[in-house]
Amino acid sequence: MAIIGAKEEHVDPRLTRIAQADTLKWYKKPHLRNLYLILIPTALGVEWTSGFDSSMMNSLQAVKAWTDYFDNPTAGRLGLLNAMYSLGALMAIPFIPTISQYLGRRRTILFASCIMCLGAGLQAGAINTDMFLASRWVLGFGIPFAIVNASALIGELSYAKERAVMTSLFNASWFVGAIIAAGTTYGTFQMTSTWAWRLPSLLQLVPSFFQLTFMHWCPESPRWLISKDRSDEAFAILERYHSEGADGGEFVRLEFAQIQSTIAQEKELDSSFVWADVVRDPPMRRRFLLAAIVGFFTQWSGNGLLSYYMKKILSLVGITDNRTVQQIILSNTCWGFINAVPIALIAPRYPRRKMFLTCTIGTAVVYIVWTVASARSAIENSSRAAIPVLVFIFVYSPFYNIGWNALAYTYMIEIFPFQQRSKGIAVEQLTVRFAVFFNTYVNPVALDGIGWKYYLVYCVWILVEIATVYAIFPETHNRTLEELSFMFEGREVQDKVQKNVDKVLHIEMGDVGGDGVNVTESKVHRTAAEQKV
């Protein structure tokens, strides 16, 4: 316990109780409904780019025009073409916290979208392998800026009752881009010209174009605005989008007070924060350890093989026809979307630890059966094992989606306070990209070298994941972001924040501690009245 810090403690969930008592559905709240609709192209759409890239690179391996143009890349070269995307992302991660805090959520997403449009254009126009590699690096450099800020923006704008579902839908949106890429490549793979791969490459800029087009109508994070002493703007956003339900006025007042008090306390702690605190400060050590673990597990649970090297997996059980491979990739991608969306709507309703354990145990069982079937195929030198392998490739998806897809960003947003949220998700992206870089570079070499025996590595590793989740993952279910902000810091810090909340809510003018932030109930009422006028 000394390694991961003290057991978490939670404050009185006053705001959560108000949200739970609100029976008015989100689609009956005009402003909130419009907010969620605009978040689709501006924030959820960021994951379309990630899904498009993985699926396109998976499918291009079965496009003759692509393999011929790039001289039928060997396992090592193929791994480098895929891994360059992650290398670009790794180079971007050190800059994410600073740029995100300076520009805010919206403008950082726009910055990233411009970079990714450039990368997609370079990729579509590549005249040799080096140019294609450079375009992959540029695309990879832009994507983590967008992912970190889009996932945070969704969590910081959503109403408490739907926040977990909205952040869970973020990862589920990956399949939208993946389906479009798989469908496009299936439609072009028989073309003899280079447009068989240039057209899918060019279409990769479409999600970023949506962000550039629609971001004007998306509000900024109220928490970022408050951190920049723009409290009136923040309250106007909260009052517009979070006050339409039962006791909406009371909810917004309490929410605003909690955010003010929590960020004031965070600033006090953040003023002395250095990256060394990731190691020496127990609460921060536990948060960043969890971020690193979640990032690594999301990419090292066997999904990397299916995302990038389906052709090689199928060839091990005798499926080599390019059309059949394209059909299986497209079918599996569509199936992933079909189960990911309802899972994203359902999984956040249950305790996080139970969902992660269900996910890891389920993927372990799938991989064990899949490995046995592949081994029988190799031993008997027959293709009869192709059917059970295909079945369990499809069974894998819902188990993976229960935890590592539906809850990864939900969990990251919940365990980090605002001031450290971009740093935390950046660390999660760091381990994601390290894992993806390793997987995309090593997997094709390992599959060519030892075949089905490589699956045994994942069988053992997923057992390690089960033990890790059980031992150190805290429960964050059914709490607002502010109620979770200091769950590792202990009761003393939480009591201090709560006293400041009470001061803000008091009838008489009160001073909220931390960096001299002064907010009163009369100011809250005055701002609300101005907005109504």
Side-chain angles (χ1 to χ4, degrees):
M1 190 61 71
I3 295 175
I4 61 173
K7 182 177 175 60
E8 63 275 7
E9 295 184 34
H10 299 294
V11 299
D12 181 29
R14 290 191 289 174
L15 200 62
T16 298
R17 284 198 294 267
I18 297 175
Q20 289 174 340
D22 180 11
T23 58
L24 188 63
K25 301 296 184 182
W26 65 269
Y27 50 82
K28 295 182 179 180
K29 302 174 180 179
H31 293 307
L32 188 62
R33 181 176 65 239
N34 290 339
L35 173 65
Y36 291 159
L37 289 175
I38 200 62
L39 284 174
I40 293 173
T42 56
L44 293 174
V46 165
E47 274 294 279
W48 298 350
T49 301
S50 292
F52 194 103
D53 185 84
S54 296
S55 183
M56 184 192 72
M57 291 303 295
N58 199 3
S59 298
L60 286 182
Q61 296 166 50
V63 175
K64 190 174 186 302
W66 185 79
T67 56
D68 288 347
Y69 194 86
F70 293 105
D71 299 321
N72 195 25
T74 60
R77 175 55 65 115
L78 181 61
L80 184 60
L81 287 169
N82 280 318
M84 189 59 68
Y85 186 80
S86 294
L87 182 61
L90 287 171
M91 299 294 289
I93 285 169
F95 306 103
I96 293 174
T98 301
I99 292 178
S100 300
Q101 189 61 23
Y102 178 73
L103 293 180
R105 308 298 189 203
R106 295 170 68 254
R107 286 187 293 171
T108 305
I109 295 172
L110 292 174
F111 166 73
S113 298
C114 291
I115 293 174
M116 289 186 288
C117 284
L118 173 63
L122 289 172
Q123 186 172 255
I127 58 175
N128 53 42
T129 303
D130 290 342
M131 188 171 175
F132 196 86
L133 285 170
S135 70
R136 304 285 301 147
W137 188 93
V138 174
L139 283 163
F141 188 84
I143 192 64
F145 285 100
I147 287 177
V148 168
N149 286 277
S151 59
L153 184 65
I154 293 169
E156 291 165 5
L157 279 173
S158 298
Y159 185 59
K161 201 169 184 180
E162 293 92 32
R163 175 186 51 77
V165 171
M166 289 295 293
T167 50
S168 294
L169 285 171
F170 179 71
N171 246 357
S173 300
W174 184 95
F175 290 97
V176 176
I179 290 171
I180 295 171
T184 302
T185 312
Y186 180 68
T188 64
F189 86 99
Q190 287 186 313
M191 296 171 63
T192 55
S193 71
T194 58
W195 281 105
W197 59 269
R198 292 189 193 278
L199 182 59
S201 295
L202 185 62
L203 289 177
Q204 192 163 350
L205 65 77
V206 172
S208 298
F209 179 75
F210 282 152
Q211 278 104 63
L212 292 171
T213 302
F214 292 102
M215 189 60 77
H216 173 75
W217 292 280
C218 182
E220 181 56 88
S221 164
R223 290 163 178 83
W224 182 79
L225 291 171
I226 289 174
S227 74
K228 296 298 182 180
D229 296 324
R230 295 163 62 181
S231 298
D232 287 350
E233 296 174 58
F235 184 83
I237 291 172
L238 294 173
E239 200 273 339
R240 179 177 178 82
Y241 296 109
H242 291 181
S243 65
E244 296 175 295
D247 297 319
E250 181 184 356
F251 180 90
V252 170
R253 285 179 55 238
L254 181 56
E255 181 182 33
F256 184 72
Q258 283 192 351
I259 295 173
Q260 281 274 10
S261 302
T262 301
I263 289 181
Q265 183 63 37
E266 287 178 28
K267 283 185 175 181
E268 185 178 305
L269 297 175
D270 191 55
S271 62
S272 60
F273 177 85
V274 292
W275 279 103
D277 288 340
V278 173
V279 176
R280 68 190 180 199
D281 180 63
M284 286 301 168
R285 182 166 66 235
R286 186 173 185 186
R287 288 189 178 97
F288 282 96
L289 176 63
L290 287 166
I293 289 171
V294 169
F296 197 79
F297 285 7
T298 58
Q299 300 302 322
W300 243 78
S301 297
N303 54 306
L305 289 173
L306 297 174
S307 296
Y308 287 97
Y309 300 110
M310 184 75 86
K311 181 175 172 60
K312 289 185 176 293
I313 291 171
L314 296 176
S315 68
L316 291 176
V317 290
I319 301 174
T320 56
D321 178 69
N322 281 344
R323 178 180 289 275
T324 303
V325 171
Q326 293 283 359
Q327 289 172 339
I328 292 172
I329 291 173
L330 179 58
S331 299
N332 188 49
T333 306
C334 291
W335 165 239
F337 177 74
I338 289 169
N339 68 72
V341 171
I343 286 173
L345 297 175
I346 295 169
R349 302 174 185 271
Y350 296 94
R352 310 290 184 247
R353 282 170 50 84
K354 289 182 179 179
M355 292 296 98
F356 281 125
L357 286 171
T358 301
C359 163
T360 48
I361 293 170
T363 53
V365 172
V366 167
Y367 248 88
I368 290 169
V369 177
W370 177 0
T371 302
V372 171
S374 298
R376 295 305 304 172
S377 175
I379 292 169
E380 297 174 359
N381 195 25
S382 71
S383 60
R384 289 186 299 172
I387 293 176
V389 167
L390 281 176
V391 168
F392 279 92
I393 283 174
F394 279 75
V395 171
Y396 175 88
S397 178
F399 279 114
Y400 177 86
N401 288 339
I402 287 172
W404 303 130
N405 187 68
L407 296 177
Y409 289 107
T410 300
Y411 206 54
M412 288 298 93
I413 291 166
E414 289 174 343
I415 65 175
F416 281 96
F418 170 79
Q419 295 290 134
Q420 311 303 337
R421 191 163 291 139
S422 59
K423 298 183 182 74
I425 302 177
V427 167
E428 184 261 354
Q429 282 290 297
L430 179 69
T431 55
V432 163
R433 301 306 163 182
F434 268 123
V436 172
F437 183 83
F438 179 85
N439 272 339
T440 52
Y441 195 76
V442 172
N443 281 345
V445 178
L447 288 171
D448 283 353
I450 60 177
W452 67 268
K453 294 178 183 177
Y454 185 52
Y455 301 152
L456 293 171
V457 174
Y458 288 103
C459 292
V460 174
W461 176 254
I462 296 173
L463 296 179
V464 174
E465 291 185 356
I466 296 170
T468 304
V469 170
Y470 181 81
I472 70 171
F473 274 41
E475 187 54 68
T476 59
H477 176 56
N478 232 3
R479 299 278 176 163
T480 68
L481 297 183
E482 277 61 48
E483 289 165 358
L484 293 167
S485 289
F486 299 110
M487 65 177 176
F488 298 138
E489 270 75 10
R491 183 60 58 184
E492 183 179 350
V493 175
Q494 293 180 356
D495 288 345
K496 182 177 180 180
V497 173
Q498 192 57 53
K499 288 178 182 178
N500 289 334
V501 171
D502 293 337
K503 286 181 181 179
V504 175
L505 294 174
H506 200 270
I507 295 176
E508 295 182 3
M509 297 183 66
D511 189 316
V512 178
D515 284 10
V517 179
N518 293 309
V519 182
T520 66
E521 186 182 30
S522 59
K523 178 180 178 179
V524 172
H525 281 306
R526 185 173 65 253
T527 309
E530 291 170 354
Q531 291 303 310
K532 290 176 181 177
V533 171

